[in-house]
Amino acid sequence: MRHIKYLFFIFLLTLFTACDDNTGSEKVDFDREAFLVNMADNVIKPSILNFASEVEGISVASSSFATNPSLESLNELRSEFKEAWLAYQHLAFVHVGPVSSVNLRDRVNIFPTNTELIEQNINNQDYIIGSASNVAAKGFPAIDYLLFGTGASQEEVLSYFGDPDLGESRLKYLSDVIADIQTASNIVSEGWDPYRETFISNIGTDVGSGTSLLVNEYNFQFDIRLKNAKIGFPSGGNPRTGGIVSPQSVEAYFSGWSGDLAKESVKSSIEVFKGQAFNSTTDGLGMDDYLDALNAIDRNENPLSTSIINESQAALDLMESINAPYSELAANEGSNLVEVYNQLQIVIPLIKVDMTSALSVSITFQDNDGD
Amino acid sequence: MTVTNWSLKYRPNQLKHIAPLATFRVAFGVMMLASIIRFWANGWIAKQYIEPDFYFPYYGFEWIKSLGDPGMYILFALMGISAIGIAFGAFYRFSASLFFLSFTYVELIDKTNYLNHYYFVSIVAFLLILVPANQAYSFDAWRKKQQSFYVPSWTIDVIIIQLCIVYFFAGLAKLQSDWLIEALPLKIWLPSRVDTPLIGWLFDYKFTAYVFSWFGAFYDLTIPFFLLWKRTRVIAYLTVIAFHFMTAALFQIGMFPYIMVLSTLIFFSEDFHKRLWNRFFQNIQVPEIQSSKSYKLGILKYFLIIFFGIQLLLPFRYTLYPGNLFWTEQGYRFSWRVMLMEKVGYSEFTVEIPDLNKSFKVMPQQYLTAVQEKMMNTQPDMILQFSHFLRDIYQEEFNASAKVFVESYAAVNGKGSRPFIDPNINLASIKRGYQHKNWVLPYNQ
């Protein structure tokens, strides 16, 4: 027995001498619950409410457009529509809880939209807007087509809806698409409060925890829906794709708002990352603070949070210098959209590799070796 | 079983009471059955072996394929039945063989699911085929109306040696600076477990990561010796229970902790196990030592020497490759490197069809499950396999030769992501094999 005590003593001795005081007492100083509460109450909930009220705005404008189609009501509808689409960009980064269970991304923002299918639906009038086959014929991109793609001028759009044969059906399709967005929006806003407790109570980072959901969805939105869909596919993205460009696949092809929406998306990404309260400059506890508390650094030994913000901001700055709609730019091989793509790509390993690794976010319940 | 047996005069054919081996047989069978039921209930059979469109077979084992639905379920059912057979000692040799073959077959389908624990299970199942663990306290003995209570000591010792190898190499692998000096990756993992009941708050302190790291290394390196030594055995076993239950609470490592807790019972004395068995078989007359000719070691000795010799060398094969083991992973598998690194990666593939002047960006998640993608992103040999898969499907679709390039990043132990695979190398033209992967970029550029 004495031998054991002796060995144990040596073991403890080596242990205490091995780590000096600085490392020894150091602590991860971060209130995880406060982080989740901030994300829930100041970031996610206000953006859900804002989205809901913007969607309500389109709905009202579309009713008055339907009862009284005029240049004025069309303009009003278009501007309400833009506000709602911009509002959605924020929610896309916080695709958790009810936002994710209604699958908002696929439900309201699949682009490019399928104009043939839309016209076919209008002609046949036997569509079910919620059916899986109609995902590419509804949501914001469908409205984009209906309000901008159906005529070169506002007068032509008006006459599209004023058509004696199909006008009624076209207006109905428009209101069905908007109603579908509104249904989703209602489910999301009603679902948030009941879900909030689940979200903030799991302060670990295993599958299904608030942090894990936030980080995984943030990454998905940034990589797949922002970098690839908004910039990469239309412009040919990576120079190696040999100049295969597809300008018609930009977001908001008909209205030409692609740039505004993409900029809003990058801006939202930075705000969500910083835990900035929605529609305010109050900077609460965000993923940046979490990474700082963990002392996460990038390979050049800079704070990881700073690198992510700076590289994202650099992409935003590049985008600010671009004026033309992305569909026009994308048509030219090697356009400055490729630069934007490359700058966004710099952010990807930082958020998908460094951040997930620093936070130790799990992707599955499956057993692992720790390797 | 005492330490003195390990002197130079080790006599493998000396007869021992079968009780420790019989306990091990039951424990292993029951644990395996529980693992299979758990695996099935979690829906992992479908998720891991039926749903994926593509698998990552081991080099040389490409002929091993998923049996699909219901094939995989039938295979798992057979595996479960054979585990019951092992536990009861029923048609034992056949059950052990069937279990070994079915379990190993499943493990060989997809590298994604490689775990050191599964490798351990395959090896032990193989060893169980060789030993007569069904000679007593078993269905077979009852069926043949013939109990035989003595087995040559090697039949127990091979299991003990195997357990020692696992612990020792796991400990040896921890003797490196990331683990000991920086307490990595525990310093990354523990803070993410602050929601653990009771002790969670401890994990925010870096000190805790150091204690766990040092204790873990010390534990792995020494526990076999403390278990072998009679005077420390009980305390050592309590440590085994505490250590493995702790890891079970903290990490998603499934059944492994429980398997180890029960397996290490084999270190206990003959008397301990006899008393255990006497509770259930009170009226058994244990005859005098009988001879057990059929299990004398004989020629099997040479086989076992080679078998364990390979196991002792395999963990060192990484020394044959240049570069950082954690980065290139050349020689990483089958070396008991458990809980050793936090590695995350990202990859995006480009397929070029030069003849048609076309190229395509491929996101791996179009073809892979989340787990497959995660594992591939950090393991160069899997990136190569996936590139070949892409090459083949694109060549077939366009009926022209395809080139495959990857843009990838990885980070080890939170030390910053860096470029992983050379993006200018056409992976379609690289052959699989054991040669050095010079297309993995150097860790420090």
Side-chain angles (χ1 to χ4, degrees):
Chain A
M1 247 14 235
R2 200 182 298 152
H3 298 280
I4 295 302
K5 279 181 194 155
Y6 191 61
L7 262 175
F8 190 66
F9 177 71
I10 293 178
F11 163 66
L12 280 183
L13 201 69
T14 34
L15 187 65
F16 285 109
T17 45
C19 41
D20 53 82
D21 284 345
N22 293 339
T23 33
S25 55
E26 228 181 290
K27 186 176 183 290
V28 175
D29 197 9
F30 187 68
D31 186 343
R32 291 170 179 82
E33 200 185 343
F35 157 69
L36 292 173
V37 166
N38 178 54
M39 294 306 290
D41 297 346
N42 302 327
V43 180
I44 302 175
K45 188 173 182 184
S47 73
I48 289 174
L49 294 180
N50 175 61
F51 177 70
S53 93
E54 296 296 351
V55 170
E56 184 61 35
I58 330 178
S59 181
V60 171
S62 110
S63 315
S64 61
F65 173 69
T67 44
N68 174 28
S70 66
L71 283 180
E72 204 185 0
S73 60
L74 177 62
N75 262 325
E76 177 61 20
L77 176 55
R78 281 178 169 185
S79 87
E80 290 291 343
F81 168 49
K82 187 172 187 181
E83 290 305 316
W85 209 349
L86 287 169
Y88 162 76
Q89 305 300 326
H90 207 267
L91 214 44
F93 280 96
V94 289
H95 202 252
V96 298
V99 191
S100 147
S101 38
V102 299
N103 202 359
L104 201 63
R105 279 193 199 111
D106 289 347
R107 185 145 172 186
V108 307
N109 205 24
I110 288 288
F111 58 88
T113 197
N114 187 339
T115 57
E116 273 170 39
L117 184 57
I118 294 174
E119 289 299 343
Q120 193 187 313
N121 282 342
I122 291 171
N123 284 320
N124 298 343
Q125 293 188 51
D126 65 346
Y127 54 88
I128 299 163
I129 206 79
S131 79
S133 56
N134 280 328
V135 282
K138 64 176 187 172
F140 294 120
I143 306 177
D144 183 52
Y145 163 71
L146 292 169
L147 297 188
F148 292 88
T150 50
S153 66
Q154 296 187 34
E155 287 77 9
E156 281 177 45
V157 173
L158 277 181
S159 62
Y160 172 82
F161 285 105
D163 185 273
D165 294 332
L166 287 166
E168 283 301 309
S169 321
R170 287 166 178 168
L171 282 169
K172 173 152 192 321
Y173 196 78
L174 175 68
S175 80
D176 284 348
V177 168
I178 292 170
D180 184 64
I181 297 175
Q182 193 157 28
T183 310
S185 159
N186 289 342
I187 300 173
V188 170
S189 30
E190 281 158 23
W192 180 256
D193 285 338
Y195 173 74
R196 179 186 179 273
E197 191 52 38
T198 317
F199 179 76
I200 61 169
S201 61
N202 187 346
I203 59 168
T205 58
D206 33 1
V207 189
S209 64
T211 307
S212 153
L213 289 172
L214 271 176
V215 171
N216 282 318
E217 293 299 335
Y218 183 87
N219 282 337
F220 184 86
Q221 179 63 21
F222 204 111
D223 190 15
I224 311 293
R225 291 292 170 86
L226 167 56
K227 186 203 77 179
N228 284 345
K230 292 183 207 269
I231 317 286
F233 291 139
S235 67
N238 185 326
R240 189 178 277 127
T241 51
I244 298 170
V245 297
S246 68
Q248 70 290 346
S249 66
V250 296
E251 190 180 21
Y253 174 70
F254 301 101
S255 58
W257 297 333
S258 43
D260 298 319
L261 296 174
K263 274 186 281 186
E264 189 69 15
S265 181
V266 178
K267 237 173 80 196
S268 300
S269 82
I270 298 173
E271 289 170 5
V272 168
F273 180 73
K274 287 159 88 173
Q276 192 170 313
F278 183 74
N279 265 344
S280 120
T281 49
T282 315
D283 182 359
L285 283 180
M287 297 183 233
D288 59 338
D289 304 288
Y290 200 162
L291 291 174
D292 290 344
L294 293 165
N295 276 325
I297 49 170
D298 68 8
R299 66 177 299 206
N300 301 317
E301 315 248 311
N302 298 317
L304 181 58
S305 60
T306 314
S307 301
I308 292 173
I309 293 170
N310 289 349
E311 299 295 352
S312 305
Q313 186 61 47
L316 188 56
D317 292 346
L318 275 177
M319 293 159 95
E320 298 282 4
S321 67
I322 294 173
N323 292 316
Y326 288 1
S327 51
E328 284 174 25
L329 296 168
N332 307 313
E333 196 179 313
S335 65
N336 44 8
L337 282 184
V338 176
E339 273 173 57
V340 174
Y341 175 89
N342 290 337
Q343 180 57 41
L344 289 172
Q345 179 62 43
I346 293 174
V347 184
I348 298 298
L350 296 175
I351 59 174
K352 289 195 99 166
V353 179
D354 298 45
M355 176 159 79
T356 52
S357 148
L359 296 177
S360 189
V361 167
S362 319
I363 56 155
T364 163
F365 285 109
Q366 222 167 290
D367 298 344
N368 66 54
D369 240 356
D371 58 7
Chain B
M1 181 73 247
T2 55
V3 183
T4 51
N5 270 13
W6 294 89
S7 69
L8 288 170
K9 282 191 205 153
Y10 175 61
R11 281 178 297 158
N13 291 325
Q14 189 185 18
L15 291 180
K16 294 266 169 194
H17 196 277
I18 196 174
L21 189 57
T23 312
F24 184 81
R25 180 200 83 210
V26 174
F28 186 78
V30 168
M31 282 286 130
M32 290 306 112
L33 180 64
S35 305
I36 292 160
I37 292 171
R38 171 174 172 269
F39 205 88
W40 195 312
N42 282 332
W44 290 345
I45 299 177
K47 219 171 241 160
Q48 297 182 18
Y49 298 109
I50 294 170
E51 283 166 15
D53 298 322
F54 171 72
Y55 297 96
F56 293 92
Y58 289 86
Y59 186 61
F61 290 93
E62 290 79 3
W63 50 277
I64 294 213
K65 301 255 188 277
S66 162
L67 305 179
D69 183 6
M72 290 308 295
Y73 288 105
I74 294 170
L75 189 61
F76 270 86
L78 286 176
M79 206 192 294
I81 292 166
S82 58
I84 297 171
I86 291 175
F88 282 101
F91 311 99
Y92 174 75
R93 190 59 63 90
F94 175 77
S95 295
S97 306
L98 180 63
F99 182 83
F100 166 73
L101 290 174
S102 54
F103 188 89
T104 309
Y105 186 94
V106 168
E107 290 322 311
L108 288 174
I109 293 173
D110 194 344
K111 259 183 225 180
T112 304
N113 306 311
Y114 169 82
L115 294 182
N116 283 288
H117 319 158
Y118 293 155
Y119 175 44
F120 171 76
V121 167
S122 269
I123 292 176
V124 170
F126 179 73
L127 290 173
L128 282 180
I129 302 174
L130 306 179
V131 302
N134 62 328
Q135 266 184 198
Y137 310 117
S138 69
F139 179 83
D140 285 344
W142 173 79
R143 185 168 57 103
K144 295 178 187 161
K145 298 191 177 59
Q146 189 186 5
Q147 302 251 35
S148 165
F149 289 92
Y150 292 92
V151 291
S153 71
W154 71 264
T155 60
I156 298 171
D157 294 342
V158 284
I159 310 275
I160 290 178
I161 292 170
Q162 190 58 53
L163 283 163
C164 291
I165 288 177
V166 172
Y167 278 120
F168 184 73
F169 277 102
L172 200 62
K174 292 184 171 74
L175 301 183
Q176 36 99 9
S177 75
D178 268 17
W179 185 270
L180 295 174
I181 311 285
E182 300 183 62
L184 286 167
L186 288 180
K187 211 195 267 176
I188 298 174
W189 288 339
L190 291 181
S192 75
R193 313 299 313 170
V194 283
D195 57 336
T196 309
L198 295 174
I199 49 172
W201 60 277
L202 277 170
F203 302 144
D204 262 344
Y205 291 91
K206 304 241 158 97
F207 178 73
T208 312
Y210 280 93
V211 173
F212 277 44
S213 295
W214 279 71
F215 180 76
F218 176 79
Y219 170 85
D220 280 345
L221 279 172
T222 57
I223 197 70
F225 302 106
F226 289 128
L227 282 169
L228 283 169
W229 193 15
K230 199 177 169 194
R231 292 176 64 181
T232 51
R233 189 173 298 142
V234 173
I235 291 187
Y237 190 69
L238 292 176
T239 325
V240 168
I241 295 176
F243 179 82
H244 286 301
F245 274 73
M246 175 80 99
T247 56
L250 285 181
F251 306 109
Q252 282 170 31
I253 46 181
M255 295 292 291
F256 181 66
Y258 313 108
I259 294 173
M260 289 314 259
V261 164
L262 285 184
S263 294
T264 41
L265 280 176
I266 200 166
F267 284 92
F268 278 80
S269 67
E270 224 172 270
D271 287 339
F272 171 87
H273 287 282
K274 267 197 269 185
R275 259 180 277 133
L276 207 64
W277 280 106
N278 285 341
R279 285 166 194 248
F280 305 101
F281 295 84
Q282 277 154 352
N283 302 319
I284 282 183
Q285 295 275 319
V286 178
E288 291 296 298
I289 290 188
Q290 320 114 310
S291 70
S292 168
K293 271 202 187 106
S294 52
Y295 286 102
K296 283 231 166 107
L297 193 44
I299 194 144
L300 202 54
K301 179 159 75 184
Y302 302 101
F303 173 79
L304 286 174
I305 288 172
I306 294 169
F307 179 78
F308 286 116
I310 290 173
Q311 283 202 61
L312 294 178
L313 290 175
L314 218 51
F316 292 112
R317 73 189 188 283
Y318 77 94
T319 54
L320 301 174
Y321 295 104
N324 178 335
L325 172 64
F326 286 5
W327 185 248
T328 65
E329 300 210 20
Q330 297 178 127
Y332 195 90
R333 291 188 199 99
F334 310 110
S335 64
W336 313 114
R337 290 171 205 276
V338 279
M339 313 297 300
L340 265 194
M341 65 172 172
E342 162 67 31
K343 193 174 182 186
V344 175
Y346 165 82
S347 55
E348 203 178 275
F349 293 80
T350 306
V351 181
E352 274 181 38
I353 315 282
D355 291 352
L356 304 173
N357 198 20
K358 273 184 196 277
S359 78
F360 305 88
K361 268 253 143 111
V362 182
M363 308 302 286
Q365 73 251 37
Q366 287 172 250
Y367 301 97
L368 303 179
T369 65
V371 184
Q372 285 181 316
E373 191 191 352
K374 181 190 155 91
M375 297 316 272
M376 178 195 70
N377 282 341
T378 61
Q379 299 176 39
D381 59 336
M382 293 174 76
I383 290 181
L384 185 63
Q385 278 178 288
F386 185 65
S387 302
H388 289 178
F389 165 72
L390 290 180
R391 173 195 67 196
D392 295 344
I393 56 173
Y394 276 84
Q395 286 190 163
E396 190 170 340
E397 188 180 341
F398 292 96
N399 201 16
S401 76
K403 292 179 171 181
V404 181
F405 301 89
V406 66
E407 189 178 354
S408 61
Y409 298 86
V412 177
N413 284 345
K415 293 187 177 165
S417 59
R418 48 198 80 203
F420 191 27
I421 307 292
D422 188 341
N424 301 311
I425 292 279
N426 171 17
L427 292 171
S429 67
I430 305 280
K431 289 210 161 47
R432 290 181 65 197
Y434 297 117
Q435 70 277 20
H436 168 52
K437 297 179 172 57
N438 54 10
W439 36 272
V440 178
L441 293 169
Y443 183 69
N444 290 308
Q445 294 145 56

